Amino acid sequence: MTIQDSGYMMEDGVSCLPCTPEEQKRIVTELKYDSERNLKEGNLYFVISSRWVRRWERYVGIDADGNLNQSSDSRHLNTASSNMAEMPGPIDNSDIVQNGSDGDCKEDEIQLRGMLMEAQDYVLVPQKVWEKLHEWYKGGPSLPRKMILQGVYHRNFDVEVYPLCLNLIDSRDESQSVIWLSRKASVTELFQRVCALRGVEQDKVRIWDYFNKRKHAQLFASNKSLEESNLQMDQNILLEQIDGHQSSRFGMDSTGNELALVSMEPSRSSFTIAGGPALFNGHSSGYKSNLYPGSSIGSGLSDRSDSFDANNSVRKRETRGLTGLQNLGNTCFMNSALQCLVHTPPLVKYFLKDYSDEINTQNPLGMHGELALAFGELLRKLWSSGQTSIAPRVFKGKLARFAPQFSGYNQHDSQELLAFLLDGLHEDLNRVKQKPYIEMKDADNHPDEEVAAESWKNHKARNDSVIVDVCQGQYKSTLVCPVCSKISITFDPFMYLSLPLPSTVTRTMTVTVFYGDGSGLPMPYTVSVLKNGSCKDLLLALRTACCLKTDENLLLAEVYENKIYRFLEVPLEPLVSIKDDEHIVAFRYQKKGMEKTKLVIFHRWHEKSKSDYLISGKELFGTPLITYLEGDQISGADIETAVSKVLSTFKRMYSSAKFHIGKENDILSDGLGETCSSSDAHSVENAEIEGTSSRDLSLWLHLTDDRVMTFKPLKKDTLFESGKILRVLLDWTDKEEELYDASYLKDLPEVHKAGFAAKKTRQEAISLPSCLDAFLVEEPLGPDDMWYCPQCKVHRQAIKKLDLWTLPEIIVFHLKRFTYGRYLKNKIDTFVNFPIHNLDLTKYVLNKDAESYIYELYAISNHYGGLGGGHYTAYAKLVEENSWYHFDDSHVSPVNESDIKTSAAYLLFYKRVRSETEMET
């Protein structure tokens, strides 16, 4: 990626920016606030790499949590900022784009890498902030994105980071083109873009929804959005000419059957709502044509039309309940949660029967029945025979309308979707049409049984649905004022339990330690530190791991793209600012030497021309090395000697060379000699370490800057003042490659490598009951969650205790594997040992009305890998068959019960097993 130079850096590194770091911070903060006050559809935002933004924030004095470092003495603040962090340099988005590295792409052709996560990988800034940052620093590339308005009943603004990508197939010549449009763009805009691209007139062509390379529906120019048309990321659309000159290949379906050039009618469901009319177009034909004004239930397309039918080459599924869900672009989170829900026995029984009388179209808290109908239709399709997989495009469209947080093509959390679905289904199926007003009362020393019964009665008076019947339990919440000892007891419903993992306060970090004086080879060390710790904690752990001497110290740095991206020199720098996929190194030195001139050595492969002059060759490689230089004045010869000394530890024992000094242009030069014995090599190595061979060895060195953008040949007699950071680029020729083993400089390990396949790390295992114990432990409320004490008349940090009062037929445990920071979202891969059979929760239930609470596992939502780049799957049990299956998007396969317990388990679904006595009653 060619990055435009800012023009604000002098050769000696002095800043020439038109305003101070404190002024930059103030200007950007004011512009952000102004933008937040004027949100509207169509506003432009710009995507910037989080790496660059973090560098800028450190430079202007914003800490890792986004707080502004305040100081009454602005001069002190600026001095501290300049000492602690260097200027960020030009804006560099090269790490978040997937093309444009040659610098020839137009702005609208540059595309973001997939699977990026906001805050962790990129930051969105308003247009005016971008313009100001670009004015100060230049760089790029510019990545503008528009703000769109999402949702139907709950409207909210969202920046469309990933526009809709469609693959246009022209049936006339079978050529393919890629079109990028907002998912809010109209079908008319799509026609205009296609016709302009292919040079055709709009009234002489047809465009088809060609999902999975099958004709689903003809698209007609209208104001209907592409999202409402159920077009998905990376899907095909087909262009046909009306005069009949289209290729015959595209007039066939996948089996070669002729397709009429008219909109296809969706297949009718093989199921009916028992005792009721057949479902058609996503709703019962017995319903009114519109359940409410503006209803789009009859969309003319159902998920059935996106399935593989019986004539498809894919093998038919004869066993019901084994249909997969196609991935529509990062929708594995949705597929995983849906497979768990549609394999919940009470819900399967409910939605396969007639539930039409319970559709609540008037509930202002619901989705006018549309979500329940869409879910019910999808469940019936998944439980029909003859299909291997279907594409849930219609259901995803409903989600986008009613839950805009799940629209688009970013990865989301299956637990968050599950929570929305359970709540949304409840409101759409709520049997209570008019909710009465009920005033909540405190316990006031009444017996728990009375208070709990009254609370549940009041809850059922407003909330009565199959979800409440099956999925809702009740817990007791006790708050105690730490000052007056006032006790407040309430009983509240729940649909799932979010359990903390008790042994998750630490993280493992791998750091590669280099010797700054060249006295040893680099070695990676993996240490365990507090997750919420600081760089000081990491240094202490490394000191022990690498047996650091009392007179030695460590310098931490992050390496990115073969450069030193930042020095971690602030002891209190939080470790959350270091991501798992980053590369951290440490250089060990004598303490007395670290106050001297710092020398950073970059590496680059170069080639030799026929005239024996070096020419620019490959890019940077390897890990930069750091050492310190002594003396009040440093010469080019001193730098060369220091570089040779640091490299000496990488010398190959079987190779050496004869060297001479070249005086051409007063630049250091070299000549490659003959191979000598290992004893000679050892002598040369010792001479270099002693510093006596500075006149016998020459290296190709250039002075450069921190971004390795400028180069100036290093001369032997050039003098430099001490105390500054000097940077040189070492050009590796055949001679260096023969003399030194560069493999030690390559392939730095990541801070934490999360394997895609979740391993059963049983040595770190914790049990599900221990997670439940941690959930029920007494703890003080956080400072941001204070409780208003009615007796003290002020907010207090009360002590809170949760207890389970009653448990539902279906209980879902959410294992809290994800921790969130401003720029970091970590995942905890600890193995949780959970029972498959006979989970006895009786002892946890305060209400002893029931004999026992014994549960059996029937489904698991799994998450593999890290956030952003991870993947969701599901395990589900066919209860009637007593067999388990693995649902990985469209792929469904049997799995042994012994293999379903992994450290990927995220959501656990249990069904209560009632005793014979309870079943009789």
Side-chain angles (χ1 to χ4, degrees), residues 300-321:
L301 181 68
S302 74
D303 287 326
R304 162 69 69 174
S305 62
D306 286 338
S307 62
F308 289 109
D309 58 31
N311 293 323
N312 195 284
S313 59
V314 181
R315 181 177 57 85
K316 291 170 56 179
R317 293 282 188 195
E318 297 301 333
T319 303
R320 293 181 176 182

Side-chain angles (χ1 to χ4, degrees), residues 516-536:
D517 58 0
S519 60
L521 290 171
M523 178 70 67
Y525 293 92
T526 300
V527 295
S528 180
V529 291
L530 291 173
K531 284 195 171 185
N532 296 322
S534 63
C535 286
K536 180 180 179 181

Side-chain angles (χ1 to χ4, degrees), residues 210-229:
Y210 202 51
F211 185 82
N212 280 341
K213 292 194 174 181
R214 297 176 61 228
K215 289 181 178 178
H216 292 275
Q218 183 180 338
L219 302 175
F220 296 94
S222 67
N223 290 329
K224 189 176 182 180
S225 72
L226 304 182
E227 185 174 55
E228 291 170 335
S229 302

Side-chain angles (χ1 to χ4, degrees), residues 221-514:
S222 67
N223 290 329
K224 189 176 182 180
S225 72
L226 304 182
E227 185 174 55
E228 291 170 335
S229 302
N230 294 313
L231 297 183
Q232 303 299 319
M233 178 69 81
D234 296 324
Q235 81 155 72
N236 295 310
I237 56 175
L238 179 66
L239 175 68
E240 286 187 339
Q241 197 164 319
I242 293 179
D243 59 12
H245 288 92
Q246 72 273 7
S247 168
S248 60
R249 183 170 86 84
F250 295 95
M252 308 279 184
D253 66 11
S254 59
T255 63
N257 298 321
E258 292 288 343
L259 288 173
L261 296 180
V262 294
S263 180
M264 292 177 63
E265 179 180 310
S267 303
R268 292 177 180 268
S269 172
S270 59
F271 282 92
T272 62
I273 295 182
L279 283 171
F280 174 61
N281 287 352
H283 69 290
S284 170
S285 59
Y287 294 145
K288 296 179 181 179
S289 59
N290 283 300
L291 295 181
Y292 70 99
S295 170
S296 61
I297 292 181
S299 61
L301 181 68
S302 74
D303 287 326
R304 162 69 69 174
S305 62
D306 286 338
S307 62
F308 289 109
D309 58 31
N311 293 323
N312 195 284
S313 59
V314 181
R315 181 177 57 85
K316 291 170 56 179
R317 293 282 188 195
E318 297 301 333
T319 303
R320 293 181 176 182
L322 297 182
T323 302
L325 290 167
Q326 296 176 41
N327 195 315
L328 305 178
N330 283 341
T331 57
C332 58
F333 77 97
M334 180 182 78
N335 295 345
S336 175
L338 284 173
Q339 291 289 7
C340 292
L341 276 183
V342 302
H343 286 86
T344 298
L347 296 185
V348 175
K349 182 178 179 181
Y350 177 87
F351 281 101
L352 290 182
K353 291 184 177 180
D354 183 3
Y355 60 95
S356 58
D357 290 342
E358 296 196 346
I359 296 290
N360 190 335
T361 63
Q362 306 302 319
N363 187 354
L365 299 179
M367 274 63 77
H368 296 272
E370 287 196 60
L371 182 66
L373 287 168
F375 178 80
E377 178 73 358
L378 181 62
L379 182 145
R380 286 188 290 276
K381 301 300 183 292
L382 291 173
W383 277 89
S384 64
S385 60
Q387 310 299 328
T388 57
S389 68
I390 64 172
R393 296 199 293 164
V394 173
F395 185 82
K396 185 177 184 297
K398 299 296 183 186
L399 271 186
R401 294 183 68 235
F402 299 118
Q405 66 269 31
F406 300 115
S407 64
Y409 307 98
N410 289 331
Q411 182 71 277
H412 293 284
D413 191 323
S414 66
Q415 184 272 330
E416 293 177 1
L417 176 66
L418 176 71
F420 167 78
L421 288 177
L422 289 176
D423 186 63
L425 290 173
H426 157 64
E427 297 295 355
D428 268 6
L429 299 170
N430 198 345
R431 302 172 186 118
V432 180
K433 310 304 181 185
Q434 296 291 331
K435 295 187 177 184
Y437 172 77
I438 299 176
E439 184 177 354
M440 301 302 295
K441 299 179 181 179
D442 205 350
D444 290 333
N445 297 321
H446 290 286
D448 282 351
E449 291 75 12
E450 290 183 15
V451 179
E454 182 71 17
S455 297
W456 188 251
K457 178 183 175 182
N458 292 339
H459 176 66
K460 288 277 287 185
R462 294 173 54 85
N463 302 277
D464 185 15
S465 70
V466 64
I467 303 299
V468 175
D469 297 341
V470 171
C471 301
Q472 287 195 357
Q474 190 180 33
Y475 64 76
K476 175 185 177 182
S477 176
T478 304
L479 291 171
V480 180
C481 178
V483 176
C484 70
S485 299
K486 163 69 178 177
I487 299 176
S488 173
I489 297 176
T490 58
F491 289 83
D492 302 301
F494 69 87
M495 284 192 289
Y496 54 87
L497 297 176
S498 293
L499 308 183
L501 275 61
S503 62
T504 55
V505 295
T506 62
R507 65 184 287 203
T508 57
M509 302 182 71
T510 299
V511 178
T512 304
V513 178
F514 287 78

